[in-house]
PDB file of all heavy atoms in Angstrom:
ATOM      1  N   ASN A1363     110.259  97.255 104.867  1.00  0.00           N
ATOM      2  CA  ASN A1363     111.495  96.906 105.667  1.00  0.00           C
ATOM      3  C   ASN A1363     111.516  95.457 106.141  1.00  0.00           C
ATOM      4  O   ASN A1363     112.567  94.946 106.209  1.00  0.00           O
ATOM      5  CB  ASN A1363     111.638  97.907 106.799  1.00  0.00           C
ATOM      6  CG  ASN A1363     111.964  99.315 106.334  1.00  0.00           C
ATOM      7  OD1 ASN A1363     112.527  99.482 105.217  1.00  0.00           O
ATOM      8  ND2 ASN A1363     111.602 100.298 107.106  1.00  0.00           N
ATOM      9  N   GLU A1364     110.322  94.970 106.369  1.00  0.00           N
ATOM     10  CA  GLU A1364     110.238  93.513 106.785  1.00  0.00           C
ATOM     11  C   GLU A1364     110.656  92.590 105.550  1.00  0.00           C
ATOM     12  O   GLU A1364     111.369  91.603 105.818  1.00  0.00           O
ATOM     13  CB  GLU A1364     108.779  93.199 107.111  1.00  0.00           C
ATOM     14  CG  GLU A1364     108.648  92.466 108.406  1.00  0.00           C
ATOM     15  CD  GLU A1364     107.171  92.353 108.772  1.00  0.00           C
ATOM     16  OE1 GLU A1364     106.605  93.250 109.256  1.00  0.00           O
ATOM     17  OE2 GLU A1364     106.688  91.172 108.442  1.00  0.00           O
ATOM     18  N   ILE A1365     110.243  92.956 104.389  1.00  0.00           N
ATOM     19  CA  ILE A1365     110.501  92.052 103.320  1.00  0.00           C
ATOM     20  C   ILE A1365     111.904  92.166 102.786  1.00  0.00           C
ATOM     21  O   ILE A1365     112.567  91.187 102.387  1.00  0.00           O
ATOM     22  CB  ILE A1365     109.485  92.262 102.138  1.00  0.00           C
ATOM     23  CG1 ILE A1365     109.056  90.907 101.488  1.00  0.00           C
ATOM     24  CG2 ILE A1365     109.831  93.253 101.053  1.00  0.00           C
ATOM     25  CD1 ILE A1365     107.660  90.687 101.226  1.00  0.00           C
ATOM     26  N   ASN A1366     112.386  93.484 102.772  1.00  0.00           N
ATOM     27  CA  ASN A1366     113.761  93.695 102.348  1.00  0.00           C
ATOM     28  C   ASN A1366     114.210  95.041 102.686  1.00  0.00           C
ATOM     29  O   ASN A1366     113.910  95.988 102.072  1.00  0.00           O
ATOM     30  CB  ASN A1366     113.863  93.423 100.808  1.00  0.00           C
ATOM     31  CG  ASN A1366     115.297  93.888 100.257  1.00  0.00           C
ATOM     32  OD1 ASN A1366     116.182  94.142 100.983  1.00  0.00           O
ATOM     33  ND2 ASN A1366     115.326  93.860  98.903  1.00  0.00           N
ATOM     34  N   ALA A1367     115.043  95.151 103.737  1.00  0.00           N
ATOM     35  CA  ALA A1367     115.411  96.463 104.265  1.00  0.00           C
ATOM     36  C   ALA A1367     116.210  97.237 103.226  1.00  0.00           C
ATOM     37  O   ALA A1367     116.339  98.567 103.295  1.00  0.00           O
ATOM     38  CB  ALA A1367     116.172  96.358 105.579  1.00  0.00           C
ATOM     39  N   GLU A1368     116.793  96.498 102.258  1.00  0.00           N
ATOM     40  CA  GLU A1368     117.567  97.218 101.198  1.00  0.00           C
ATOM     41  C   GLU A1368     116.831  97.393  99.941  1.00  0.00           C
ATOM     42  O   GLU A1368     117.480  97.532  98.806  1.00  0.00           O
ATOM     43  CB  GLU A1368     118.790  96.346 100.873  1.00  0.00           C
ATOM     44  CG  GLU A1368     119.628  95.767 102.047  1.00  0.00           C
ATOM     45  CD  GLU A1368     120.487  96.961 102.704  1.00  0.00           C
ATOM     46  OE1 GLU A1368     121.400  97.407 101.945  1.00  0.00           O
ATOM     47  OE2 GLU A1368     120.255  97.315 103.874  1.00  0.00           O
ATOM     48  N   HIS A1369     115.553  97.500  99.984  1.00  0.00           N
ATOM     49  CA  HIS A1369     114.731  97.645  98.824  1.00  0.00           C
ATOM     50  C   HIS A1369     115.050  98.865  98.025  1.00  0.00           C
ATOM     51  O   HIS A1369     115.525  99.887  98.504  1.00  0.00           O
ATOM     52  CB  HIS A1369     113.240  97.508  99.156  1.00  0.00           C
ATOM     53  CG  HIS A1369     112.823  98.616 100.067  1.00  0.00           C
ATOM     54  ND1 HIS A1369     112.807  98.508 101.508  1.00  0.00           N
ATOM     55  CD2 HIS A1369     112.492  99.945  99.899  1.00  0.00           C
ATOM     56  CE1 HIS A1369     112.354  99.571 102.060  1.00  0.00           C
ATOM     57  NE2 HIS A1369     112.227 100.515 101.159  1.00  0.00           N
ATOM     58  N   SER A1370     114.749  98.743  96.683  1.00  0.00           N
ATOM     59  CA  SER A1370     115.183  99.872  95.843  1.00  0.00           C
ATOM     60  C   SER A1370     114.207 101.118  96.034  1.00  0.00           C
ATOM     61  O   SER A1370     113.031 100.923  96.365  1.00  0.00           O
ATOM     62  CB  SER A1370     115.160  99.439  94.383  1.00  0.00           C
ATOM     63  OG  SER A1370     113.794  99.181  94.028  1.00  0.00           O
ATOM     64  N   PRO A1371     114.715 102.237  95.820  1.00  0.00           N
ATOM     65  CA  PRO A1371     113.867 103.486  95.992  1.00  0.00           C
ATOM     66  C   PRO A1371     112.699 103.497  95.104  1.00  0.00           C
ATOM     67  O   PRO A1371     111.615 103.977  95.520  1.00  0.00           O
ATOM     68  CB  PRO A1371     114.853 104.593  95.600  1.00  0.00           C
ATOM     69  CG  PRO A1371     116.179 104.037  95.728  1.00  0.00           C
ATOM     70  CD  PRO A1371     116.052 102.603  95.476  1.00  0.00           C
ATOM     71  N   ARG A1372     112.842 102.937  93.957  1.00  0.00           N
ATOM     72  CA  ARG A1372     111.738 102.978  93.024  1.00  0.00           C
ATOM     73  C   ARG A1372     110.502 102.100  93.578  1.00  0.00           C
ATOM     74  O   ARG A1372     109.396 102.503  93.600  1.00  0.00           O
ATOM     75  CB  ARG A1372     112.121 102.374  91.569  1.00  0.00           C
ATOM     76  CG  ARG A1372     110.993 102.409  90.678  1.00  0.00           C
ATOM     77  CD  ARG A1372     111.348 101.604  89.312  1.00  0.00           C
ATOM     78  NE  ARG A1372     110.283 101.712  88.344  1.00  0.00           N
ATOM     79  CZ  ARG A1372     109.212 100.978  88.411  1.00  0.00           C
ATOM     80  NH1 ARG A1372     109.045 100.044  89.326  1.00  0.00           N
ATOM     81  NH2 ARG A1372     108.267 101.102  87.448  1.00  0.00           N
ATOM     82  N   GLU A1373     110.861 100.882  93.993  1.00  0.00           N
ATOM     83  CA  GLU A1373     109.772 100.048  94.573  1.00  0.00           C
ATOM     84  C   GLU A1373     109.186 100.596  95.850  1.00  0.00           C
ATOM     85  O   GLU A1373     108.044 100.440  96.161  1.00  0.00           O
ATOM     86  CB  GLU A1373     110.292  98.643  94.777  1.00  0.00           C
ATOM     87  CG  GLU A1373     110.813  97.923  93.597  1.00  0.00           C
ATOM     88  CD  GLU A1373     109.765  98.034  92.320  1.00  0.00           C
ATOM     89  OE1 GLU A1373     108.579  97.937  92.566  1.00  0.00           O
ATOM     90  OE2 GLU A1373     110.283  98.269  91.234  1.00  0.00           O
ATOM     91  N   HIS A1374     110.005 101.301  96.631  1.00  0.00           N
ATOM     92  CA  HIS A1374     109.592 101.924  97.848  1.00  0.00           C
ATOM     93  C   HIS A1374     108.389 102.857  97.498  1.00  0.00           C
ATOM     94  O   HIS A1374     107.293 102.861  98.102  1.00  0.00           O
ATOM     95  CB  HIS A1374     110.753 102.743  98.445  1.00  0.00           C
ATOM     96  CG  HIS A1374     110.381 103.467  99.735  1.00  0.00           C
ATOM     97  ND1 HIS A1374     110.503 102.961 100.941  1.00  0.00           N
ATOM     98  CD2 HIS A1374     109.778 104.623  99.918  1.00  0.00           C
ATOM     99  CE1 HIS A1374     110.060 103.706 101.888  1.00  0.00           C
ATOM    100  NE2 HIS A1374     109.671 104.798 101.271  1.00  0.00           N
ATOM    101  N   ASP A1375     108.577 103.678  96.404  1.00  0.00           N
ATOM    102  CA  ASP A1375     107.560 104.638  96.078  1.00  0.00           C
ATOM    103  C   ASP A1375     106.364 104.052  95.493  1.00  0.00           C
ATOM    104  O   ASP A1375     105.206 104.508  95.783  1.00  0.00           O
ATOM    105  CB  ASP A1375     108.233 105.690  95.193  1.00  0.00           C
ATOM    106  CG  ASP A1375     109.008 106.807  95.910  1.00  0.00           C
ATOM    107  OD1 ASP A1375     109.028 106.700  97.134  1.00  0.00           O
ATOM    108  OD2 ASP A1375     109.560 107.632  95.192  1.00  0.00           O
ATOM    109  N   VAL A1376     106.519 102.960  94.786  1.00  0.00           N
ATOM    110  CA  VAL A1376     105.341 102.177  94.254  1.00  0.00           C
ATOM    111  C   VAL A1376     104.453 101.790  95.366  1.00  0.00           C
ATOM    112  O   VAL A1376     103.246 101.921  95.363  1.00  0.00           O
ATOM    113  CB  VAL A1376     105.784 101.034  93.363  1.00  0.00           C
ATOM    114  CG1 VAL A1376     104.523 100.198  92.942  1.00  0.00           C
ATOM    115  CG2 VAL A1376     106.577 101.434  92.108  1.00  0.00           C
ATOM    116  N   LEU A1377     105.145 101.329  96.367  1.00  0.00           N
ATOM    117  CA  LEU A1377     104.366 100.819  97.610  1.00  0.00           C
ATOM    118  C   LEU A1377     103.771 101.899  98.429  1.00  0.00           C
ATOM    119  O   LEU A1377     102.515 101.947  98.522  1.00  0.00           O
ATOM    120  CB  LEU A1377     105.309  99.985  98.481  1.00  0.00           C
ATOM    121  CG  LEU A1377     104.679  99.419  99.674  1.00  0.00           C
ATOM    122  CD1 LEU A1377     103.693  98.356  99.385  1.00  0.00           C
ATOM    123  CD2 LEU A1377     105.665  98.882 100.677  1.00  0.00           C
ATOM    124  N   VAL A1378     104.567 102.869  98.841  1.00  0.00           N
ATOM    125  CA  VAL A1378     103.981 103.866  99.818  1.00  0.00           C
ATOM    126  C   VAL A1378     103.064 104.806  99.146  1.00  0.00           C
ATOM    127  O   VAL A1378     102.163 105.348  99.881  1.00  0.00           O
ATOM    128  CB  VAL A1378     105.127 104.649 100.500  1.00  0.00           C
ATOM    129  CG1 VAL A1378     106.015 103.763 101.353  1.00  0.00           C
ATOM    130  CG2 VAL A1378     105.948 105.478  99.655  1.00  0.00           C
ATOM    131  N   ALA A1379     103.139 105.020  97.773  1.00  0.00           N
ATOM    132  CA  ALA A1379     102.082 105.839  97.288  1.00  0.00           C
ATOM    133  C   ALA A1379     100.713 105.315  97.177  1.00  0.00           C
ATOM    134  O   ALA A1379      99.745 105.965  96.935  1.00  0.00           O
ATOM    135  CB  ALA A1379     102.539 106.220  95.754  1.00  0.00           C
ATOM    136  N   SER A1380     100.660 103.973  97.473  1.00  0.00           N
ATOM    137  CA  SER A1380      99.414 103.298  97.364  1.00  0.00           C
ATOM    138  C   SER A1380      98.377 103.679  98.472  1.00  0.00           C
ATOM    139  O   SER A1380      97.134 103.600  98.304  1.00  0.00           O
ATOM    140  CB  SER A1380      99.522 101.775  97.413  1.00  0.00           C
ATOM    141  OG  SER A1380      99.947 101.366  98.655  1.00  0.00           O
ATOM    142  N   GLY A1381      98.901 104.175  99.589  1.00  0.00           N
ATOM    143  CA  GLY A1381      97.955 104.548 100.685  1.00  0.00           C
ATOM    144  C   GLY A1381      97.033 105.705 100.183  1.00  0.00           C
ATOM    145  O   GLY A1381      95.833 105.681 100.590  1.00  0.00           O
ATOM    146  N   GLU A1382      97.497 106.620  99.391  1.00  0.00           N
ATOM    147  CA  GLU A1382      96.739 107.767  98.942  1.00  0.00           C
ATOM    148  C   GLU A1382      95.686 107.292  97.912  1.00  0.00           C
ATOM    149  O   GLU A1382      94.626 107.866  97.767  1.00  0.00           O
ATOM    150  CB  GLU A1382      97.581 108.818  98.406  1.00  0.00           C
ATOM    151  CG  GLU A1382      98.139 109.834  99.391  1.00  0.00           C
ATOM    152  CD  GLU A1382      99.188 109.279 100.386  1.00  0.00           C
ATOM    153  OE1 GLU A1382      99.743 108.199 100.091  1.00  0.00           O
ATOM    154  OE2 GLU A1382      99.516 109.960 101.436  1.00  0.00           O
ATOM    155  N   GLN A1383      96.000 106.123  97.168  1.00  0.00           N
ATOM    156  CA  GLN A1383      95.035 105.728  96.193  1.00  0.00           C
ATOM    157  C   GLN A1383      93.731 105.219  96.855  1.00  0.00           C
ATOM    158  O   GLN A1383      92.626 105.263  96.395  1.00  0.00           O
ATOM    159  CB  GLN A1383      95.681 104.568  95.358  1.00  0.00           C
ATOM    160  CG  GLN A1383      94.724 104.039  94.268  1.00  0.00           C
ATOM    161  CD  GLN A1383      95.514 103.230  93.198  1.00  0.00           C
ATOM    162  OE1 GLN A1383      96.755 103.252  93.088  1.00  0.00           O
ATOM    163  NE2 GLN A1383      94.759 102.558  92.374  1.00  0.00           N
ATOM    164  N   VAL A1384      93.996 104.613  98.097  1.00  0.00           N
ATOM    165  CA  VAL A1384      92.837 104.100  98.827  1.00  0.00           C
ATOM    166  C   VAL A1384      91.963 105.283  99.328  1.00  0.00           C
ATOM    167  O   VAL A1384      90.742 105.377  99.154  1.00  0.00           O
ATOM    168  CB  VAL A1384      93.387 103.305 100.015  1.00  0.00           C
ATOM    169  CG1 VAL A1384      92.226 102.954 100.965  1.00  0.00           C
ATOM    170  CG2 VAL A1384      94.098 102.024  99.497  1.00  0.00           C
ATOM    171  N   SER A1385      92.668 106.274  99.924  1.00  0.00           N
ATOM    172  CA  SER A1385      91.789 107.363 100.501  1.00  0.00           C
ATOM    173  C   SER A1385      91.076 108.178  99.484  1.00  0.00           C
ATOM    174  O   SER A1385      89.890 108.479  99.677  1.00  0.00           O
ATOM    175  CB  SER A1385      92.677 108.301 101.479  1.00  0.00           C
ATOM    176  OG  SER A1385      93.781 108.819 100.792  1.00  0.00           O
ATOM    177  N   ILE A1386      91.719 108.471  98.352  1.00  0.00           N
ATOM    178  CA  ILE A1386      90.974 109.283  97.346  1.00  0.00           C
ATOM    179  C   ILE A1386      89.771 108.547  96.756  1.00  0.00           C
ATOM    180  O   ILE A1386      88.731 109.162  96.509  1.00  0.00           O
ATOM    181  CB  ILE A1386      91.868 109.813  96.186  1.00  0.00           C
ATOM    182  CG1 ILE A1386      92.661 108.611  95.458  1.00  0.00           C
ATOM    183  CG2 ILE A1386      92.854 110.845  96.715  1.00  0.00           C
ATOM    184  CD1 ILE A1386      93.282 109.041  94.185  1.00  0.00           C
ATOM    185  N   SER A1387      89.924 107.275  96.486  1.00  0.00           N
ATOM    186  CA  SER A1387      88.796 106.563  95.920  1.00  0.00           C
ATOM    187  C   SER A1387      87.612 106.451  96.981  1.00  0.00           C
ATOM    188  O   SER A1387      86.443 106.677  96.665  1.00  0.00           O
ATOM    189  CB  SER A1387      89.190 105.182  95.400  1.00  0.00           C
ATOM    190  OG  SER A1387      89.841 104.506  96.417  1.00  0.00           O
ATOM    191  N   LEU A1388      88.014 106.174  98.265  1.00  0.00           N
ATOM    192  CA  LEU A1388      86.959 106.147  99.289  1.00  0.00           C
ATOM    193  C   LEU A1388      86.229 107.571  99.452  1.00  0.00           C
ATOM    194  O   LEU A1388      85.025 107.534  99.506  1.00  0.00           O
ATOM    195  CB  LEU A1388      87.555 105.733 100.577  1.00  0.00           C
ATOM    196  CG  LEU A1388      87.959 104.243 100.659  1.00  0.00           C
ATOM    197  CD1 LEU A1388      88.665 104.014 102.052  1.00  0.00           C
ATOM    198  CD2 LEU A1388      86.831 103.240 100.483  1.00  0.00           C
ATOM    199  N   LEU A1389      86.967 108.609  99.346  1.00  0.00           N
ATOM    200  CA  LEU A1389      86.385 109.886  99.505  1.00  0.00           C
ATOM    201  C   LEU A1389      85.489 110.207  98.311  1.00  0.00           C
ATOM    202  O   LEU A1389      84.282 110.685  98.436  1.00  0.00           O
ATOM    203  CB  LEU A1389      87.391 111.049  99.628  1.00  0.00           C
ATOM    204  CG  LEU A1389      86.658 112.373  99.772  1.00  0.00           C
ATOM    205  CD1 LEU A1389      85.852 112.513 101.058  1.00  0.00           C
ATOM    206  CD2 LEU A1389      87.598 113.515  99.630  1.00  0.00           C
ATOM    207  N   ALA A1390      85.897 109.827  97.083  1.00  0.00           N
ATOM    208  CA  ALA A1390      85.117 110.056  95.891  1.00  0.00           C
ATOM    209  C   ALA A1390      83.725 109.265  96.071  1.00  0.00           C
ATOM    210  O   ALA A1390      82.698 109.778  95.756  1.00  0.00           O
ATOM    211  CB  ALA A1390      85.830 109.638  94.653  1.00  0.00           C
ATOM    212  N   MET A1391      83.856 108.003  96.536  1.00  0.00           N
ATOM    213  CA  MET A1391      82.611 107.216  96.775  1.00  0.00           C
ATOM    214  C   MET A1391      81.721 107.862  97.784  1.00  0.00           C
ATOM    215  O   MET A1391      80.471 107.840  97.669  1.00  0.00           O
ATOM    216  CB  MET A1391      82.971 105.828  97.208  1.00  0.00           C
ATOM    217  CG  MET A1391      83.759 104.989  96.151  1.00  0.00           C
ATOM    218  SD  MET A1391      84.271 103.405  96.937  1.00  0.00           S
ATOM    219  CE  MET A1391      85.417 102.852  95.761  1.00  0.00           C
ATOM    220  N   ALA A1392      82.405 108.371  98.860  1.00  0.00           N
ATOM    221  CA  ALA A1392      81.461 108.995  99.907  1.00  0.00           C
ATOM    222  C   ALA A1392      80.796 110.247  99.373  1.00  0.00           C
ATOM    223  O   ALA A1392      79.632 110.525  99.722  1.00  0.00           O
ATOM    224  CB  ALA A1392      82.408 109.478 101.082  1.00  0.00           C
ATOM    225  N   VAL A1393      81.466 110.946  98.502  1.00  0.00           N
ATOM    226  CA  VAL A1393      80.880 112.159  97.878  1.00  0.00           C
ATOM    227  C   VAL A1393      79.726 111.721  96.952  1.00  0.00           C
ATOM    228  O   VAL A1393      78.602 112.292  96.996  1.00  0.00           O
ATOM    229  CB  VAL A1393      81.872 113.045  97.134  1.00  0.00           C
ATOM    230  CG1 VAL A1393      81.207 114.063  96.285  1.00  0.00           C
ATOM    231  CG2 VAL A1393      82.870 113.587  98.052  1.00  0.00           C
TER     232      VAL A1393
END
Side-chain angles (χ1 to χ4, degrees):
N1363 289 335
E1364 225 177 282
I1365 215 138
N1366 172 9
E1368 310 284 298
H1369 57 266
S1370 67
R1372 182 188 182 280
E1373 298 314 320
H1374 180 93
D1375 280 357
V1376 173
L1377 178 71
V1378 299
S1380 67
E1382 274 71 11
Q1383 183 163 349
V1384 172
S1385 56
I1386 56 168
S1387 49
L1388 290 175
L1389 180 67
M1391 292 172 195
V1393 170

